[in-house]
Amino acid sequence: MLLEINDIHVHYGKIAALKGISAEVDEGEIVTLIGANGAGKTTTLKTVSGLRPLTSGSIRFAGEDISKMPGHKRVLAGIGQSPEGRGVFPGMTVEENLLMGAYARRGNFSKELAEVYELFPRLAERKSQPGGTMSGGEQQMLAIGRALMAKPKVLLLDEPSMGLAPKLVQQIFSIIVEINRRGTTVLLVEQNASQALQIAHRAYVLETGRVVKSAPAADLLDDPQVRAAYLGGGAEAQVGAPAEETPRDAAEAGPASEEEAPRGGAATGEKTPPVAAPTRVEEDDESS
Amino acid sequence: MSGATGRKSVGFSLDPVRDRWDSAPGWARWVVYLLLIVGALLLPAQAIGSFMAPSSSDWTAMLSDQIGIFVLLGLGLNVVVGMAGLLDLGYVAFYAVGGYTIAVFATKYHWSFWSTLVLAIVAAAVAGVLLGAPTLRLRGDYLAIVTLGFGEIVRLTANNLNYVNGPRGIQGIPHPPSLSEWTIPGLEVQPLKYGLLDSRPYYYLLVFFIVLAIIFVKRLENSRVGRAWASIREDEDAAELMGVPTFKFKLAAFAIGAAIGGSGGVVFAAKQTSINPGSFTFMVSALVLAGVVLGGSGNIPGVVVGAFLLSWLPERFRELADYRMLIFGLALVAMMIFRPEGVWPSRQRKAELAEGTGGMGSMGAEVPGPGTTAEVAK
């Protein structure tokens, strides 16, 4: 196993955010954590990347216990993260942002830079533009590209679809598949469960700080409970959290055939869900 | 959506100057540097002084006691606030540590000026680390409050400590030893002879420190350290994810800023020959910070201009008595409305402010600025 998360507990003050999460990510996989707001997805990622300290439990990466390792050293060990809300450096240009991604490394980064520009041609067009003046989609591309500059073994992505227009969500997800195809393991956190399950190999369902289900992603797409809670299909079953907690699900679920699409369908970009309930439509950058 | 024009800065843009500078050949830059230094050395001249200072006050003393010190302190605070984005409201503490170190070691242990100078700089840097180590886990407003407290702790400790004579302070601090009796021909200035009567040699000493500080800080800014500070200022969590040891670099910013402040304290104490806690009030921290922000935090020329203006204007208009504080306050408010990025901001800093988080005291939250939507909608 490349990454083993072993019964971790994390607290914000006295409030327990994670109450014993265990998960595994094998080399070459795309693994996704899905769940409602407050389920602990982001906290799990932050704990893996070292931004949050553990209360108990352990995290092993490439066979080594990294539970006590500070965040900046985990980058060198091979964990790269694109943080929630993108975390682009607003005053730095696109190229400076990307070079910051390689901060921990020494040597020549022109090869990685060229690769990122190839994955995201839009970034190449905007090399010298300040990161803060870019649209939401471009910032997301920049955040992912920046994380890739460190040549991570595993790439942690925190809600890459957040606030993006449907068309752009498709594009980002197909790029994630491409990144994985080129050999980077991906741990993906998403509220957009149907999209995430379509590209992932395996998935964990999180609820109030615990893992309630783990299975191959394709199985979860058909799971009646998951469909009821996260994909908006049928009300016959309930998983702990009522469906209203994830309001975007109702809008996201397309016709049944949509959800049963073969894995990787998103990568082709042919199937577009009718509505993907973007929260901030005005950030669609396709026009700019 | 609202106030898309609210952020637009009023008045002149310095972008043409910046572009000229960026494309200027190396020798042209050196000529400008040399002219600036020569200009700084000529400042105490009587012809300039008659305009800069009202008839009753001593222009050379104003330069050495106020302006020179403030510019040096501004450069030091700029490392902490402008470059690393850590809001420090207790910067006067390091100035005090520098001053008290020379006072104690020169009067009680009879150390020479130059060895106390080194010691004071080290002591101030250590004070910076001591303050930083427990508090730099805090962010934004919380850090500001703790540093504000630290400034007061240092002053109150000096005020209540018998070892340093409490509120009476320490007297009889020796002047720096004269390096040479050499006189500049035709000017009757002995620039390296430090005495009671002539303020100019102290001003030249400050100019020397200021130039050193500028070279040092500028070199840091263009290095890996400077890039690390910029990333911490813009998004601390993201910086850590890039592999920047954020805590270490924040501590370094505190120590370097403190060391520069400490050197200011040494010159101040040696010039005055006596110090007391009354010289190290919160007002000094506030004024230096105002100078940094007003000038354009993060940009060295801007900070020098800002600190110069803030220390000079209130002295220049002394005849307005208490009204000048009122005018001064109004001017600061007007400045923050019409040109919030400062008189002479750096390009990067301007982009940060337009985005909304602005670095200083953002606490890692994504706060959309009024300018953000305007940029996206375009």
Side-chain angles (χ1 to χ4, degrees):
Chain A
M1 282 293 153
L2 185 62
L3 178 66
E4 293 168 62
I5 301 166
N6 218 328
D7 191 33
I8 55 170
H9 294 250
V10 173
H11 290 77
Y12 289 94
K14 281 190 175 164
I15 302 158
L18 303 186
K19 302 161 189 162
I21 298 243
S22 296
E24 290 179 335
V25 182
D26 208 352
E27 209 155 346
E29 274 187 313
I30 299 181
V31 173
T32 182
L33 308 179
I34 58 174
N37 283 335
K41 309 182 298 291
T42 293
T43 306
T44 308
L45 275 204
K46 282 188 171 175
T47 312
V48 171
S49 60
L51 293 180
R52 294 292 322 171
L54 282 170
T55 311
S56 66
S58 71
I59 299 171
R60 295 179 71 80
F61 182 70
E64 194 188 343
D65 189 345
I66 59 163
S67 315
K68 295 272 185 290
M69 188 187 275
H72 59 267
K73 290 200 175 136
R74 296 189 197 190
V75 183
L76 274 177
I79 298 178
Q81 185 180 352
S82 156
E84 187 184 28
R86 313 188 252 283
V88 161
F89 299 117
M92 297 187 196
T93 64
V94 168
E95 186 135 327
E96 284 167 348
N97 261 285
L98 290 175
L99 290 174
M100 267 319 289
Y103 185 88
R105 298 173 50 209
R106 307 258 169 185
N108 187 3
F109 316 119
S110 52
K111 188 170 149 278
E112 286 75 34
L113 209 53
E115 201 176 327
V116 169
Y117 283 142
E118 186 226 316
L119 271 175
F120 303 101
R122 176 60 69 90
L123 296 184
E125 292 165 21
R126 311 218 154 185
K127 268 180 203 178
S128 52
Q129 187 178 327
T133 63
M134 305 220 297
S135 72
E138 289 163 348
Q139 288 195 8
Q140 188 61 59
M141 294 176 189
L142 182 53
I144 296 175
R146 190 181 60 180
L148 287 174
M149 289 295 292
K151 281 180 105 48
K153 294 196 183 86
V154 59
L155 179 63
L156 313 180
L157 297 174
D158 200 344
E159 303 236 14
S161 76
M162 189 168 74
L164 301 187
K167 203 173 155 197
L168 214 54
V169 172
Q170 290 288 320
Q171 202 183 335
I172 294 277
F173 273 83
S174 62
I175 290 168
I176 295 170
V177 171
E178 175 63 20
I179 290 168
N180 177 250
R181 202 185 57 75
R182 294 184 185 186
T184 307
T185 308
V186 176
L187 177 56
L188 171 69
V189 154
E190 260 300 339
Q191 285 216 355
N192 191 337
S194 73
Q195 285 283 352
L197 290 176
Q198 282 178 43
I199 67 162
H201 301 106
R202 289 189 303 113
Y204 294 86
V205 181
L206 266 57
E207 233 166 69
T208 59
R210 289 191 180 85
V211 175
V212 291
K213 229 177 202 52
S214 71
D219 296 359
L220 285 184
L221 274 172
D222 295 330
D223 186 297
Q225 281 184 327
V226 171
R227 288 182 55 157
Y230 302 107
L231 303 174
E236 70 273 10
Q238 290 271 322
V239 188
E244 297 90 71
E245 278 191 16
T246 55
R248 55 163 73 175
D249 297 338
E252 260 164 27
S257 64
E258 183 70 44
E259 283 154 30
E260 280 151 22
R263 203 169 58 216
T268 64
E270 287 164 13
K271 293 184 197 300
T272 312
V275 197
T279 49
R280 301 199 316 243
V281 187
E282 73 268 24
E283 286 207 350
D284 177 12
D285 73 330
E286 290 303 301
S287 57
S288 59
Chain B
M1 298 286 162
S2 66
T5 54
R7 274 281 176 178
K8 225 176 159 232
S9 72
V10 170
F12 53 101
S13 164
L14 287 158
D15 282 353
V17 180
R18 241 180 244 123
D19 290 334
R20 282 285 290 277
W21 183 252
D22 287 342
S23 58
W27 62 264
R29 294 186 191 199
W30 280 106
V31 169
V32 173
Y33 292 143
L34 274 177
L35 284 177
L36 284 173
I37 293 175
V38 170
L41 293 177
L42 288 179
L43 261 187
Q46 200 56 48
I48 300 173
S50 59
F51 164 73
M52 299 295 276
S55 51
S56 58
S57 43
D58 179 358
W59 168 240
T60 56
M62 205 191 281
L63 273 176
S64 65
D65 297 358
Q66 301 275 336
I67 299 174
I69 297 269
F70 261 74
V71 169
L72 190 57
L73 292 184
L75 284 170
L77 186 61
N78 179 48
V79 172
V80 181
V81 175
M83 295 170 83
L86 307 164
L87 186 49
D88 183 351
L89 292 181
Y91 189 64
V92 71
F94 307 123
Y95 179 46
V97 167
Y100 267 97
T101 306
I102 179 177
V104 166
F105 280 84
T107 57
K108 293 184 197 287
Y109 301 100
H110 307 291
W111 284 37
S112 78
F113 174 79
W114 301 105
S115 45
T116 44
L117 173 68
V118 174
L119 184 75
I121 288 173
V122 171
V126 169
V129 171
L130 283 182
L131 168 63
T135 59
L136 279 175
R137 290 167 212 287
L138 301 171
R139 291 190 185 178
D141 309 3
Y142 301 101
L143 179 67
I145 291 166
V146 174
T147 52
L148 172 67
F150 182 73
E152 287 301 286
I153 288 171
V154 168
R155 185 177 65 81
L156 289 173
T157 306
N159 208 25
N160 290 294
L161 204 65
N162 283 331
Y163 183 68
V164 293
N165 297 342
R168 279 185 295 121
I170 297 177
Q171 285 80 33
I173 304 164
H175 288 295
S178 294
L179 295 172
S180 145
E181 299 277 323
W182 176 66
T183 310
I184 300 178
L187 277 176
E188 292 165 42
V189 184
Q190 293 177 309
L192 297 173
K193 182 173 184 291
Y194 302 97
L196 183 63
L197 293 173
D198 194 353
S199 299
R200 281 172 288 189
Y202 297 99
Y203 170 69
Y204 296 137
L205 186 64
L206 280 169
V207 169
F208 175 68
F209 283 155
I210 289 168
V211 170
L212 274 190
I214 289 176
I215 294 171
F216 181 57
V217 171
K218 194 74 203 168
R219 288 199 67 97
L220 280 178
E221 192 181 1
N222 296 329
S223 71
R224 273 176 74 80
V225 182
R227 286 209 299 149
W229 282 339
S231 68
I232 292 168
R233 177 180 76 215
E234 295 189 10
D235 191 323
E236 193 174 333
D237 277 348
E240 182 82 18
L241 292 176
M242 300 301 108
V244 175
T246 49
F247 186 71
K248 216 172 83 186
F249 278 114
K250 288 196 290 180
L251 213 52
F254 254 58
I256 292 168
I260 295 174
S263 69
V266 170
V267 180
F268 174 76
K271 165 75 175 37
Q272 304 294 329
T273 69
S274 75
I275 56 169
N276 63 64
S279 310
F280 305 107
T281 57
F282 169 66
M283 196 59 194
V284 178
S285 298
L287 277 177
V288 175
L289 181 66
V292 169
V293 174
L294 182 110
S297 104
N299 196 33
I300 291 169
V303 168
V304 172
V305 170
F308 185 98
L309 288 179
L310 266 197
S311 48
W312 171 60
L313 285 177
E315 291 296 319
R316 174 68 182 81
F317 296 103
R318 199 167 261 289
E319 69 265 24
L320 298 176
D322 286 348
Y323 288 110
R324 70 204 162 108
M325 274 334 220
L326 185 70
I327 297 167
F328 182 56
L330 281 176
L332 285 184
V333 171
M335 185 72 199
M336 287 302 109
I337 292 172
F338 295 116
R339 207 176 164 89
E341 72 272 25
V343 177
W344 191 345
S346 69
R347 204 169 263 175
Q348 183 168 352
R349 193 71 192 184
K350 234 167 116 179
E352 287 166 28
L353 278 167
E355 199 266 351
T357 54
M360 199 163 58
S362 69
M363 289 190 286
E366 244 199 320
V367 187
T372 322
T373 43
E375 288 291 340
V376 174
K378 202 166 43 178

